[in-house]
């Protein structure tokens, strides 16, 4: 069974409840280690009125304990969530675990705690000094993003052959898609032979370069973006490469919002995450939580072929 | 009952079969007039082996008759489909009908026939010298496009307050949405307060301008594009305004491909259309055709409040 370090996210949010409620499922298939001190766990479990499950393995001395205040943006909670994440990363680096799953942190709480990263992916890029690839999705559909958090006006100029070739190769080697991968064009109608934009020629060259390097034809020609996610087309693919954030994520989230996860590829460790936030508005309120994203984050690691 | 002129599209394609097969439904609710000569209708019906239904009203002298060759790209067929469209438009202009529905034409056949327009919408803009608004969708979700067939790199610079304000007002007056309208931001996370692009400030100003002109607050703030189509958000809206082609159409077609239609708003006539092509590969082959888009194109006219 694979060993997974789970960072608990912001303890004022819903992460720890997801961890507690799903533990009995998880231990059928993986060995989870929760990056939380037992004192903090006891405090959370008590506030949630959930008994701590058997074999819920924790780690001491993550960070200074603090008082959980459900739904609050709090520097101490921000600091703790960061420390929990760093511990999980360390364990993966030291190969004490096979991968990590991160529960949601609150960006503002990180900021209050003096942590300069915008989120987990950002931190991972810096820690590993590597071009992490951001992929989101669920078993029915994964979407990797060539450009991510940049203004739309900067997207077209970011499409260059060298970087895209490298991206496609790295993506192929780390996502390990089993079938053909759908690569999206940039422009409406994939440019209509250059009439509506010509970046598709660059994308095509990058695909040829990647195919040469890989030694197999794994990528499609640049697909017409608004047709690529229709039922007939998506039946043929599990993996997509989008040129920009909303091109890939708007259709993905329209189809598979609750079940989607966030995956960091192309690092020396594998990290998956739920694709939702701390949900401060419903934390510690006994609300019905959807565990689909969390379960899929674990599932991805179970199914992932080790390199 | 409303009177509708139906242009028959490229007779080498599936349009006429849709018209024949759905006529008995249509006449329960509308009065259709088909812009096709009886000789051409007889020829098509014979090739299709479908009896011509009762009350299938045709119009003579649309254009020169020609021999239907299923699936062929043909100048004569291109010319005929254009003439059928022009006739339907004339009838609407003369108020002989209340609206028109167009069946699919083949762009290349138009080109071979010496017709310079790329499609119906293009032609309508020229004929009426008006800023037609392109809206696609179905009763669950309609998406109007602020920019349409332009390269992605030109989208951001096309967002300007004057044009967008005018667009929003025209859209509101002609689409007549009953509830609040979802307006999308341009950038990932709707710009995250300017960190990922600042066109949302322009969009916001345009919305304020439109609200002042309309005298009611009908538009949302610029929504985060990749969240706007998730189940919880879309439950609140039937009408969206997208800043660019794939932003709106990729999620729409992921969710509602077969049932979507294309609507031309802001003209002195109302025109709806199926949102699929001539399907030359399955024309006249007795294939199972989906009539959903065609039926919805008719339905939109039935439900549309006259101005």
């Amino acid at each position: 069974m694979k060993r997974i370090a789970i960072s608990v996210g912001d303890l004022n949010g819903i992460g720890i409840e997801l961890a507690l409620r799903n533990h009995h499922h998880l231990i059928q298939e993986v060995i989870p280690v929760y990056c939380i001190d037992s004192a903090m766990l006891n405090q959370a479990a008590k506030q949630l009125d959930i008994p701590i499950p058997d074999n819920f393995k924790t780690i001491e001395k993550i960070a200074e304990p603090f008082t959980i205040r459900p739904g609050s943006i709090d520097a101490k909670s921000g600091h703790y969530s960061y420390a929990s994440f760093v511990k999980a990363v360390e364990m993966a680096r030291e190969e004490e675990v096979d991968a990590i799953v991160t529960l949601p942190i609150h960006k503002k709480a990180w900021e209050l705690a003096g942590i300069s990263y915008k989120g987990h992916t950002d931190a991972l890029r810096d820690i590993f000094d590597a071009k992490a690839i951001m992929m989101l999705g669920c078993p029915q559909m994964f979407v990797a993003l060539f450009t991510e958090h940049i203004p739309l006006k900067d997207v077209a100029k970011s499409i260059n052959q060298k970087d895209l070739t490298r991206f496609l190769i790295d993506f192929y080697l780390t996502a390990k898609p089993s079938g053909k991968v759908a690569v999206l064009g940039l422009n409406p109608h994939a440019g209509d032979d250059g009439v509506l934009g010509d970046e598709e020629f660059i994308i095509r060259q990058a695909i040829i370069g990647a195919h040469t390097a890989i030694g197999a034809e794994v990528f499609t020609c640049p697909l017409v973006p608004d047709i690529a996610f229709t039922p007939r087309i998506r039946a043929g693919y599990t993996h997509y490469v989008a040129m920009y954030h909303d091109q890939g994520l708007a259709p993905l989230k329209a189809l598979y919002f609750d079940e989607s996860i966030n995956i960091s590829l192309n690092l020396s460790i594998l990290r998956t995450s739920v694709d939702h936030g701390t949900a401060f508005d419903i934390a510690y309120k006994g609300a019905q939580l959807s565990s689909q994203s969390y379960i899929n984050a674990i599932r991805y690691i179970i199914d992932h072929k080790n390199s």
Side-chain angles (χ1 to χ4, degrees), chain A:
Chain A
M1 282 208 287
K2 286 186 181 173
R3 300 154 304 163
I4 302 178
I6 296 170
S7 69
V8 292
D10 196 302
L11 288 172
N12 290 340
I14 60 167
I16 190 65
E17 181 171 355
L18 286 172
L20 284 164
R21 292 209 187 278
N22 289 286
H23 177 76
H24 61 286
H25 287 310
L26 262 58
I27 52 167
Q28 313 296 321
E29 301 191 76
V30 296
I31 302 163
V33 184
Y34 300 90
C35 297
I36 183 172
D37 292 84
S38 55
M40 291 305 297
L41 176 66
N42 287 334
Q43 195 193 143
K46 201 173 163 193
Q47 283 213 36
L48 286 163
D49 199 18
I50 301 174
I52 296 170
D54 293 337
N55 307 314
F56 199 94
K57 197 182 163 198
T58 57
I59 289 174
E60 298 308 307
K61 295 187 185 166
I62 295 292
E64 276 293 297
F66 66 98
T67 303
I68 293 170
R69 291 184 298 137
S72 298
I73 302 171
D74 181 325
K76 283 182 185 161
S77 190
H79 176 69
Y80 198 94
S81 66
Y82 181 67
S84 174
F85 167 61
V86 167
K87 180 67 192 172
V89 171
E90 275 174 19
M91 291 179 74
R93 270 192 135 158
E94 301 295 325
E95 298 184 8
E96 293 168 36
V97 293
D98 298 293
I100 74 171
V101 169
T102 57
L103 285 161
I105 59 100
H106 196 280
K107 284 180 193 184
K108 192 77 195 166
W110 271 24
E111 200 182 308
L112 291 178
I115 297 150
S116 59
Y117 302 120
K118 283 184 199 163
H120 290 119
T121 312
D122 212 28
L124 288 167
R125 281 205 173 95
D126 190 46
I127 294 167
F128 289 95
D129 191 21
K131 291 193 174 168
I133 292 176
M134 192 168 172
M135 183 169 86
L136 291 98
C138 59
Q140 296 93 321
M141 178 183 289
F142 289 108
V143 180
L145 303 179
F146 175 58
T147 67
E148 298 167 12
H149 295 110
I150 61 171
L152 189 81
K153 72 171 168 355
D154 295 336
V155 168
K157 60 183 108 147
S158 304
I159 309 294
N160 71 77
Q161 193 181 331
K162 184 165 165 261
D163 290 346
L164 184 54
T165 306
R166 185 73 254 163
F167 177 91
L168 292 173
I169 297 167
D170 289 342
F171 168 75
Y172 178 72
L173 296 177
T174 57
K176 298 169 187 159
S178 54
K180 200 132 181 164
V181 175
V183 178
L184 301 178
L186 179 77
N187 295 295
H189 306 185
D192 247 351
D193 287 322
V195 179
L196 302 175
D198 52 15
E199 290 82 1
E200 280 73 15
F201 297 109
I202 302 173
I203 299 171
R204 222 175 278 269
Q205 288 305 313
I207 290 168
I208 292 170
H211 283 168
T212 306
I214 292 164
E217 303 221 335
V218 295
F219 298 106
T220 63
C221 293
L223 300 182
V224 173
D226 71 330
I227 299 295
F229 297 96
T230 57
R232 264 165 294 227
I233 304 292
R234 70 178 187 256
Y237 306 100
T238 54
H239 288 69
Y240 286 74
V241 172
M243 293 300 125
Y244 59 96
H245 189 275
D246 293 337
Q247 182 188 51
L249 300 192
L252 172 70
K253 293 183 181 182
L255 294 167
Y256 304 111
F257 186 61
D258 283 329
E259 52 269 64
S260 279
I261 65 168
N262 186 331
I263 304 143
S264 302
L265 297 170
N266 202 34
L267 296 171
S268 61
I269 68 162
L270 175 63
R271 171 246 173 181
T272 68
S273 172
V274 297
D275 188 34
H276 57 70
T278 50
F280 276 171
D281 53 326
I282 55 167
Y284 294 82
K285 288 187 179 165
Q288 191 72 36
L289 303 183
S290 167
S291 298
Q292 286 184 70
S293 183
Y294 181 54
I295 289 168
N296 280 345
I298 302 282
R299 168 70 41 208
Y300 187 87
I301 292 168
I302 294 171
D303 295 342
H304 193 76
K305 295 165 245 164
N306 288 334
S307 25

